[in-house]
Structures are given as structure tokens and as C-alpha cells.
Amino acid sequence: MQSFTYERAESTEQAAAAVAARPDARFISGGTNLLDLMKLGIERPAHLVDISRLPLDRIEETDEGGLRIGAQVRNSDLAADPQVRLRYPMLAQALLAGASGQIRNKASTAGNLLQRTRCPYFYDRNMPCNKREQGSGCAALQGFNRMHAVLGASKACIAVHPSDMAVAMSGLDARIETISPRGETRTIPIGDLHRLPEAMPDVETVLAHGEMIASVTLPPPPPGRQVYRKVRDRASYAFALVSVAAIVEKSGDRIRSARIAMGGVAAKPWRATAAEHALVGAATSDTAFTDAAEAALAGAVGHGGNDFKIPLAKRTVRYTLATAAERA
Amino acid sequence: MAKTMTSENRPSGPHSGAIGRPIDRIDGPLKVTGRATYAYENALEDMAYGCILGAAIAKGRIAEIDTAEAERTPGVLLVMTHRNAPAQPDFGPAVTPTVPEVFTRARPALNSRWVRYYDEPIALVVAETFEAARAAAGLIRVRYDAEPGRYDFRMRVAEAYAPKRTNAGLETDSVIGDFESAFAAAPVKIDTAYRTPFEHHNPMEPHATLAAWSGNELTIHTSAQTLVNFRAGVASTLGIPPERVRIVSPFIGGGFGCKLIVHADTILAALAAQALQRPVKIALTRQQMFANAGHRAEMIQQVRLGADNDGRLAGISHDVWSATSSFEEYCEQTAAFTRSLYAAPNRITRHRLVPLDINRGEWMRSPGEAPGMLAFECAMDELAERLSLDPIELRTRNEPAQDPERGVPFSTRNLVACMEEGARRFGWQRRDPTPGRTREGRKLIGYGMAAAIRPNYIGAATARVAIDRNGQVTAWLDMTDIGTGTYTILTQIAAESLGLPIASVKVKLGDSRFPRTAGSGGSWGAASAGSALYNACNALKQRILEAARSSEASPLHGANATEASFADGEVRVGQRSASLADLIAEIAPDGFEAEGSVAAGATTESYKAYSQHSYGAHFAEVEVDCDTSEIRMRRMLAVMAAGRILNAKTARSQILGGMAWGIGAALMEETVLDPRSGHFVNHDLAEYHVPVNGDIAEMEVVFLEEHDDKANPLGAKGLGELGVCGAGAAVANAVYNATGVRVREFPITLDKVLAALPLTAI
Ligand SMILES: Cc1cc2nc3c(=O)[nH]c(=O)nc-3n(C[C@H](O)[C@H](O)[C@H](O)COP(=O)(O)OP(=O)(O)OC[C@H]3O[C@@H](n4cnc5c(N)ncnc54)[C@H](O)[C@@H]3O)c2cc1C
Ligand code: SF4
């Protein structure tokens, strides 16, 4: 860990400008991810801009009937919010399935979206890793890759995005609102926030340096029952092997609309839009769920240690859809 | 039906009282209020902080190491590498001439440019602050000449060799009768191989040392299970007499066997403190602990069982291949328990080692039984199914009348009683012997059981005890309490022996200035230190009585009845009695002091004449998700027979901990050694999974009444590690019963079950 300077931001605009002013500056929020990475020398910022005390910790209803979640809302507060629990239950479920009580008390909404992969080679500076050091190679490709991606990966990187919260938000069509160093705001659909690795796994999002997430807006919840299912190696305090957020809207015993988002399978929360379309109008049957699961994993590729994720994800999609359709 | 322990029928001495009672841990309030000082929390004026840099290769040599920038970092006091480290003895041969020397041998650090394993210390930076030391360590530039190494255990099993002995000096092989013929002729056979992975101890408290010199005397505050080993290891590495080394370790945040010998933190802190003439403090990071503080090695075990149609075993064979370090041999005694567990006329146990370029393995949570029973007790389950026999019935039919290999009687053996009591309490009859048939909603339910056996060891120990004029008792031993409850049970033993309340007894542990014990390890702590203290208290009582009878000032002067007792704060001789405190004040204002000892178990007649083990039976119920194969515990029960129970609460806690580790070994613990680089990939607690609260579910522990008078004067036996023995196998057998999928590669993670689990209709 190298020495760094620290400032506490006074306002959103000032924070963004302060980070933009120095290429080696970073925002710090709860610090539950960034500090760990700094201690291991993986992130080496020379300047930290602390945004944790900015007044971005409110959850408000929007004019369209959705929710605006401030970037600083703690994961535990968001999970406990009555509106979230009532209208966006799969978001509350996803949050509570993540990390531990202590970490959720500290973790912020924006920090959770921007947390970095848990690939163990990324965490070890002696190992080649294109994400940490562009061009050094990917130790996971032929190494221990049980936790790694089966969708959207590249030869350069097969890491996954580890968040649970982001998967539920993806299923809810969340929009990310940012503020630029010059005070301009923009809105990014959650599906466009994270990049797939391609040849540049070190560039993980579309955010510019110094661009700060101010809030996350959820549109009004879509009709249908929401379910988040996280599959993991132990009962709590483990990252997802795969996770599925599903919403199924029924009309009689037919499906009117469906949403499927998957975690633990790619470098970003993975929306299975083709599978969603195929479900529209289908009967709420085992066959329909099984077919949708096949479609959701179309094109999936394993790398040895993580081959099991493909059947696991299929089975989890099938079961979660059935649960959302109140069939299981 | 077996008798379980109650207060009325609990065996105890004539002054029954404190021993056995479930009193709370005496050190509990200190720990929950943060007042128990752990090694790294010690502070001395003017102390400096060290940070270790580890090698980035697993085999080869350091071609060049550039420390200039690190040395220039503000606050840095010393950068030590092989170029400037003080001279130390060479590491020496891979196998020490005698068994005990493995604990006392020199363990030099930074004494060579050769790298023997990944993350081996290659530099130490000492600075005014920890942060400065760590930052500077990151500035050291190293160029290596790397050499190809051996890291892939499974590819190299053909290179296995037979060691001269296994851990604890046990025989490498045992051969009785003609197993191969018996096996060939047996109508029912099991021949199956299991694999257990690398595992790491992972105590909460990392290895940490604060070393300080005063003249040529060295004081080391550290986290140690066995102070004599640390003292000897430091002394032989530094080339100074052990008398000049003091080890202090009053509180230990868990050990599990990885704090029995000195590690680099201790050696380097001592060397740096000497070089700087200032106290130096060093801790291993969690990541460094994976390479530098021991592990359990990867193993393959082949179990062959030949039985007649009634399930009587004609032959038992247990072969073990284990990884070991190329420079220091460690052979876990994985098949040793098999020599005592079940009857069979024809038997083989064998241990073989496959050398790799890794650090040495260390004694981890029931070395031998933990991995051995995980495999063997699953094989017994496979045999029971093959025979269509209940697993308990199979074990009962093979209950030996005496130790099957040593041919001596058992001191006590209540395995069958444990299994029967457990079956009754657990509702074992509800188990469907056909696997995969019990479903509740989308969960498959399974029951499993396994036996537990663990040898009883006694280590040589001495205790000193004193009583003052106020009737306050102090006991001193260099014993340690690694979180097990040693302070508490020793207090109970002294209180009961002397007929005093708990509050009148103070037990002092964890300082090498106190009388020598065998420390905490191998579950021998309570029985060894406890017996020494018991004998010390008896000696003290003799002193008091002699003086009480002979001293003119004594209210008991001239009392010559042979009957004497110490109870309720009084001394009674025949019909006469006096308050103990008043008596001492009258006859010995300076109080009395006495010592007591026990000899190492292996040297005693009773140890040679009897096979001494503690026993138990584990039961587990699991649920397996039909869709995802996630395995979760529903409940566990352990019924244990381990001699006299010294404190029902701390004993139960010990068994609960063991059961949790059983879940770990069965379902999640595994360290992955990257065969390309020789490094442990998942080297932190986010990626190396140990069971968390949510994994435990309901757990029950029952102790059967037992008093083993062959074991020691207390009648108590080793207990700590018994809880893990067989616990994992009970879980694994339950997973099989739930699913019909037999996973023979531990841990049983969901991916290994998933492929064989058919889809359940929705
Ligand atoms: C042991 C462990 C287990 C965990 N398990 C899980 C799990 O099971 N599931 C799960 O989902 N998560 C898990 N987590 C991750 C946890 O959710 C994240 O660490 C946390 O959400 C990060 O939030 P933070 O506020 O602490 O972020 P920080 O560490 O403060 O920041 C993370 C990153 O986001 C950037 N950043 C923060 N705020 C903003 C902003 N407003 N605008 C722009 N950039 C910003 C920072 O610069 C930094 O790069 C686990 C973490 C640990 C340590
Ligand atoms: S998967 Fe990505 S993060 Fe992991 S080693 Fe490869 S490049 Fe690095």
C-alpha cells in the first residue's frame, strides 16, 4: 500500500471535479472493496475523495411512480426500505443475499455497482492478469476458474462481476444517473454501465474518469411476481456461483411478460432478453421454463473449472421462473 | 440403553463439586470486553514494525534483490535479506533423527538465496510504522532464476516413497494375516478411492510475535500452543541456550495445530530486534499464512473391505498417498486409527508420500483421523449398502473384543453404546436405506452416521500450586488455553481438590517461566496438565496436613485420624475440622507450595497394557436442493464417550467446534494449489470457505458416562479433536442417502452432485 492524500468532498460537483483533476484520484465510499484492493497494492490511488458524507442517502419516489436511490444509500438501508420490500422484493432479496451484515452496513449503492471482480489471480500481484496489468496475460483462462464467466467473456479475461444487487437492478431496468466533472448529468441504462472485457478488461464501465454516480432510478415495478435466487457454496457470506432474478407476469396460465437477469455468469449482470421474448404467450409449463433456460444460456462457453455453471444456471433459471410463476 | 451423564451418577472424587460443572469460561469476560491481550496487541516503548516479503516463485534462486529504494523510504530502519541476515544453522535434513526434534529444530529464515516454496520469506522490512514497512516492502525489486518445480500431486503419485515413520513416530505400515487372499475370497467387497484436498487451519488470530531483548535475554510475546517447542525452536535457530528465551502467550485466538512450532514471524522478529536493539513486532498476513503456517496435505486413500454375507469383515486395507514437502517430511498418520477401529483377521495399513516443492504440512485438527475417517467411514457406509445392512449394525458386528492390532484390552470402549444412544435420540429408524427417495418440497433429505475414534495421549507435564494465608490458591503451568477452556477446567480441578470455591483459585498459564507442560495439541492438554495439577494439589494437601498435625499453633495439632478431607473451605481430620484459611494463617503465614507431575503416556505401563481411545458416534441430516444441488445441514448429533468430563459446557463447545469442522471438510474446505506455479490460489477467507453460522443448523452433543481409570488419576481422556473425527463422514453419508450420488472427492461441492442429479418435474 502506498501513501495517499485524502479529502472529504463538500458537494457532488466538487467531488467529481476533484477526482477529474488528477488521473490517480479515486472516489471512496464505504471502502469495503477499494480499501482491500489498496492494501494488496492492486489499486494504487495517490488521492482519495471521500464521498460517503455527501447528502446522497435518500430514497425518494419519482414522478413516474418509481424510486430514486441516492448513491450513498447503504445496502442494509436499501434492503430494509418498506417501498423496496413491498414493490421491489427481488432487490431486497438480492441485497440480503450479499456479503455480510457488517459489510452491508458500510457498502453504498454506487460502490456495490462498481465493485471489482473477485478473480483470485486479479487479487495476487504475482500472477499475470490483463485486468490488473493490460497485456500480462490471463492466469485464470487455464487456471482455477471455477468462479468465472460462461457468457460474454474473451480470451483476454473471463472474470465475473460479483454483485447481487446489480442483478436485481438489471431485471428492474434501473437507470444510473451520473454527474460529470463539469456538472453535466447523464442517464445510463444499467445494461450499458458495465463493459464486456473484449480486448480491454481493465476498462470495466462506460464512466469517464471523475464521472460520479449520483443516484439509481428504478422505474415503477413491472407487473408480475419477483424472485431472486442466489446459488452459492455455503449458506451465507459467499459470492454467487450463479444467481437469477426473474419476474413473471401471468394472464391465466399463460405468460404475459417475463424478465430474466443472471449473475455470476459474466462481467456484467446478464439480461436474457431472447429467453424473455420466447416466454411471452407461452403456457406456464415445465417445457416453457426449460426452453427459456436453454435460450438464456445460448452461446455459453465453459473454461474447465466452471463448466458446471452452464447446467447450474439453466436449472436455476428454470426453477426461478417456475417460482415466479407460482408453479414451484 | 446407555446411561448418560447426570449430576447424581457422575463419577468423581470424594470431594465432588467443581469438576464437571458447566461453568462459564473464566477468561470469557476478558475476551468479550477486549481486555485479553493477544500477541500483536502487546506494545512496548520504542517498538518497530516488520513486514515480510515473500517469494514470487516456488523453486529457484534469487538472482538479484534490489533493496535500495526500500531502504530510502522514510521511517525504514532495516531491510533484511539473505545478504545481511545474521548467520543461522542450515535447515538440515528433511527428517529429524528423532521424533521430538521436529518440534525443536532450527528453522532459519532469510539464510539462503534459494527459494524452496512459493511465498517463502525473502526479505524483512522493519520501520517506525507498519504502513511504512509495508510500503517499502512493495519497493523491493527481485529477479529470480526460476526452476521447474513439482506441484501436481495427482500426476506424481507414481513417485511415492515409504517414509520411515509417520507423525508421532507411528509405524508407516502394519500388516496382519494375509489380506490379499482374504479379500480375493470375500463374497462382498468394497474397493474404492477417495481424495481429500489441501486444507488450511485458519485460526482467527494470525501468527504474530513481539520480540524484545534485554541484554542477552530474549522475551517473545507470541501466539503459541506449546511454549517449550517455541522456546527450543528459537534457541536452536539463534544459537542461544533455551534458558535465555522467554515465551509469553497467555491468550491464543485459535491454533488448530498450526501454532505448535515456530514460524518466520517469530524468528525474524527475534533477529531484527537483536539487530536494531529495539523491540520488533511482526504478524503474518492472512494470505501469508497459507504458505507459511502449515496445511493439511492433499491425499488419495484407497480403502478395501472384504466381508462375508453377514457383514463380518475378513479383511481391511487402508492405503494412503499424501503430498509432502521436498525439504521437510511430514506424514499424517491417516490410516493409524484403522488399526484399532474394527475387527478383522487380515489387515493392511500403509502410508506413502509424494514430494512436492511446497512448504511442510503441519498437525491440523485431528491429524490422521480427520481425513482418514472421512474416507474410511464412507467406505463402511458403502459396504453397509452393498450388504443391505444398517450401517450401525455393520459396525456393531465388527466390534472387536480387544485392540485388533496390538492385542491388548481397551481401557474403555463405548462405541456401540454411543451408536445405540445416538440412533435412539436422532430417530435413525426414520432413515430410508434406499437413497434419493425422501423429498420434502424441492429438497431431498438424507441421514448419515459415522463412528468416531481418537487416541488418548498424555504428555509429560508439571504444575506448581501455592496457597496463601487468606486461603487463595494460585497455580502455574506453561500450559496454554487456545480458546478451549483450559483456564476454566484447571481452576475447577484445583478448586475441587482443595475444597475451595472457584473464586479462590487463580490459574496462570502461557509463560515459559512456569513449570513445563506439553501445551495444547493432540487433545492431550486437559488430561496432561489437569493430571499434573491434580497431583500438585494432592501434594499440597499432604504438606498442609503434615504441618497441621505437627504444628503447635494448629487447631488440628495432634489429630491422628487417617481420614482427612478438604471440602467447603474446611479441613477435616477425623472428627475435628478447621477453616483452611485460618489454619494456613496459623501454621504457615507464608503459605505452602507444592509441585505435581505426570509422565508422558507412551512411557507408562498402563499405556502399554491398554489400548486407550475416546469414542463417539456422529449423526447428520442434510437437505439437498433438487434444482441446484446446494447441500445444507438440517441437524447433527454427536454422542461421545471420552472418560470423565471436566466441564460439561466447555466439553460440549469443543465437540460443537469439531462438528463444524466436520461440515467444513465434508462440504467446503479446500485450498487449490496451482500446478503451474505452486501457489495456493484461494488464499484468503473470502475464497477459502469455512462453515459460517448459516451452515451449522441444529447441533446436539451428548456425553455418555465414563471414567477411564487406566488413562490418568482424573479418569479424563482427550476430547478436543474427537468432535471432528467421523463428523464429515456422517455428513457425506447423509448426502449420499439424500441423493444416491456418492462423491469421493472432497469437499462435496454442489457441482460434483449436480451432474448426477436428474431434473425434478415442476
Ligand atoms: C468478504 C466480502 C464478501 C462480499 N460478498 C458479496 C456478495 O456476496 N455479494 C455482493 O453483491 N457483494 C459482496 N461483497 C462486495 C460488497 O457488496 C462491496 O464491497 C460493496 O458493495 C462496495 O461498496 P462500497 O461503498 O464499500 O464501495 P467502495 O469500496 O467505497 O468503492 C468501490 C468502487 O466504487 C467507486 N465508487 C464508489 N462510489 C462511487 C460513486 N458514487 N461514483 C463513482 N464511483 C464510485 C470507488 O471509487 C471504487 O472504485 C463482498 C465484499 C466482501 C469484502
Ligand atoms: S479472468 Fe480477468 S481478472 Fe482474472 S486473471 Fe484473467 S484477466 Fe485477470
Side-chain angles (χ1 to χ4, degrees), chain B residues 491-505:
Chain B
T491 305
Q492 287 173 278
I493 288 169
E496 176 166 320
S497 297
L498 297 166
L500 290 169
I502 296 283
S504 298
V505 177

Side-chain angles (χ1 to χ4, degrees), chain B residues 377-449:
Chain B
E377 284 294 286
C378 284
M380 286 295 281
D381 203 63
E382 298 199 37
L383 179 62
E385 190 188 27
R386 190 74 55 83
L387 288 157
S388 302
L389 206 60
D390 185 273
I392 295 177
E393 180 58 27
L394 171 65
R395 288 168 172 86
T396 307
R397 286 188 190 174
N398 292 289
E399 176 70 4
Q402 58 176 14
D403 188 290
E405 303 210 0
R406 287 178 61 204
V408 296
F410 296 108
S411 60
T412 58
R413 176 168 165 126
N414 281 308
L415 173 58
V416 172
C418 287
M419 292 192 295
E420 286 173 355
E421 178 70 14
R424 191 181 63 75
R425 288 175 177 258
F426 199 70
W428 181 249
Q429 80 287 352
R430 290 201 298 271
R431 167 182 180 267
D432 184 340
T434 306
R437 273 209 313 218
T438 309
R439 217 181 100 186
E440 286 177 22
R442 296 193 75 78
K443 305 288 181 195
L444 294 161
I445 311 299
Y447 283 25
M449 66 80 57

